Amino acid sequence: MGGFRAGEDGFELDGRPVRLLSGALHYFRVHEAQWGHRLAMLRAMGLNCVETYVPWNVHEPRPGEFHDVGALGRFLDAADAAGLWAIVRPGPYICAEWDNGGLPWWLTGELGPRVRTRDARYLAHVERWFARLLPQVVARQHDRGGPVVLVQVENEYGSYGSDRVYLRALTDLVRGLGVTAELCTSDGPEDHMLSGGSVPGVLATVNFGSRAREAFGVLRRHRPAGPLMCMEFWCGWFDHWGAEHVGRAPRDAADALREILECGASVNLYMAHGGTSFAGWAGANRGGALHDGPLEPDVTSYDYDAPIDEYGRPTEKFWLFREVLARYADGPPPGLPPAPAELARPVTGRLGEWASPAAVAACLGTPEAEHAVPPAFEDLGVDRGLVRYSVTLPGPRGAYPLSAPGLRDRAVVYVDGVRAGVLTEDSPALPGPVPGGARVELWVESLGRVSYGPRLGEAKGLTGGILHERQYVHGVRAVGVPLGAFDAAYEVPAEGAGDGRAGLYRGVVEVVGAGDAVLELPGWTRGFAWVNGFCVGRYWGVGPQRGLFVPGAVLREGANAVWVLEVEGAAGVAEVRLGALPGSPQAHPFP
């Protein structure tokens, strides 16, 4: 039998054994102008395949409203041009430390826990989405001369559910829409995960970061025959705001990779190149052993301590992996491609225009309306961004504690126009009492929807109402300000200098020698930044991330517009800096 297929103990191409040496690279986390360079870096590391997820929420922001679904096809064409096979993981759920695990906000808002099950309404949405998406894959399958050799069904489903009827329905749907490539599932190497997430007749793969022989031993108990593959070899990890940076020693990761390959297995490096969660798409986790604890929002950078860093440069891990992979490749890898240009000269600019949060809401927000109880973000059609809730407390009455139980995720509170404090999920009450008759505003921000575990799909905003003492407050007015609305931020009228107060700051930075750069925001507290209308992501002074990556394709010679939405305020701040990339590429450490 010709073509690419899963044989009895390995993959085969036209009847001869082949091994997939793959690397994860998410097209949606890399500026399209840099796809070619990043794919060439995978080849230079010694890989013969690239893997990507597909984020449903990016491509169908509202039901039936599709956005640039062809991006996947263009990426697969770029992979083919780079000489790489491709693995496509279309979900519908992807995790990926991506907002809502890639599921659209409107889907989880409508269906709640019925997503990722056999629920007929959920499957109808999936069928509509896949009918639009999968032609991009079908036309580029290996048996049609394209690069796609594997397509994954769902993602780590055994870590979430056990609806085998759903998995079979999804498999049949993918086949029915024309996918003839090999199908696979991926799960952790534990009995309950493999039994809950695998599909009879579909290749099962496992995800892990170490102890390959043990992991493959568990897989073999469930699947005595078929190729061994680690679909996610976790060679690094991701970071949370306010936590320490997480990394993995390069030599340790290289030794773990070597063990995988010594088992005769195929591998997908997760991540080979992580990229960046631009435009506020970074997700969040819940802490604790059951992933049901405190919210842990992910940083904008998805560097992942990968062998190719966020800026597309080789690291020590790259060279060690290249040495390991060379023993299992068909031939020597090519050399490094030419590096993208970097900013020639750092420059500081002052953002002299400022607009208050109220002006932003009035110009860019959804129509304001009064509600019996505070609506969630989902009720207002806000995926990423802010919602302003406002209410006049009833009176006459004394001063009582004010709280927002069920707050998700963070609120800056103003009482009669004066900032009164910041509420969080763990600390949802103001420190002092608030009198009856006071005008209260709560600017609530989503820090990223949960991407993994039982809290997947939870709503954002004031999900538990507003309490004044023990009495619920009704008649709350709300206006949503989605991040996407800032495409028209230039329309917000300026109100003078902001002097570090919360609000929208705008200015122009003059660039000489445009190229890849880092936007530095020293002294700013928390918010989002745009360069020439491109949202480079969320910043937050708590770290560990310092600075936001600006792809060179976003910058231009001369004047560059910079917008900063400062959510909490930091007195006296109005300057930003476009600086050079930190560090330098890792030279080849071997003779």
Side-chain angles (χ1 to χ4, degrees), residues 137-157:
V137 178
V138 170
R140 295 168 174 84
Q141 295 178 111
H142 192 266
D143 60 6
R144 299 193 183 193
V148 178
V149 294
L150 272 178
V151 176
Q152 185 172 292
V153 177
E154 246 280 351
N155 185 58
E156 294 186 320
Y157 188 71

Side-chain angles (χ1 to χ4, degrees), residues 299-360:
V299 302
T300 295
S301 170
Y302 201 61
D303 177 83
Y304 211 87
D305 195 33
I308 303 166
D309 72 11
E310 182 180 9
Y311 316 116
R313 305 176 305 187
T315 67
E316 179 185 356
K317 199 175 288 182
F318 174 96
W319 296 112
L320 290 171
F321 281 13
R322 177 177 155 117
E323 182 183 48
V324 172
L325 291 164
R327 297 183 55 189
Y328 301 91
D330 290 337
L336 297 180
E342 296 187 22
L343 183 69
R345 185 186 305 168
V347 58
T348 298
R350 183 167 184 80
L351 307 187
E353 291 188 2
W354 171 82
S356 67
V360 170

Side-chain angles (χ1 to χ4, degrees), residues 77 84 199 244 321 336 370 381 390 436 582:
D77 291 342
L84 293 164
V199 179
E244 295 295 321
F321 281 13
L336 297 180
E370 186 170 302
S390 59

Side-chain angles (χ1 to χ4, degrees), residues 193-230:
M193 294 180 180
L194 283 165
S195 61
S198 58
V199 179
V202 173
L203 174 68
T205 68
V206 283
N207 303 338
F208 55 83
S210 59
R211 298 158 62 178
R213 291 179 177 84
E214 292 181 31
F216 289 136
V218 176
L219 177 60
R220 277 290 180 239
R221 290 205 304 267
H222 290 257
R223 295 295 176 89
L228 291 176
M229 181 166 187
C230 177

Side-chain angles (χ1 to χ4, degrees), residues 37 179 189 210 276 354 398-399 431 461 505 509 543 562 567:
H37 174 264
V179 175
S210 59
T276 310
W354 171 82
Y505 291 77
V509 177
V562 178
V567 176

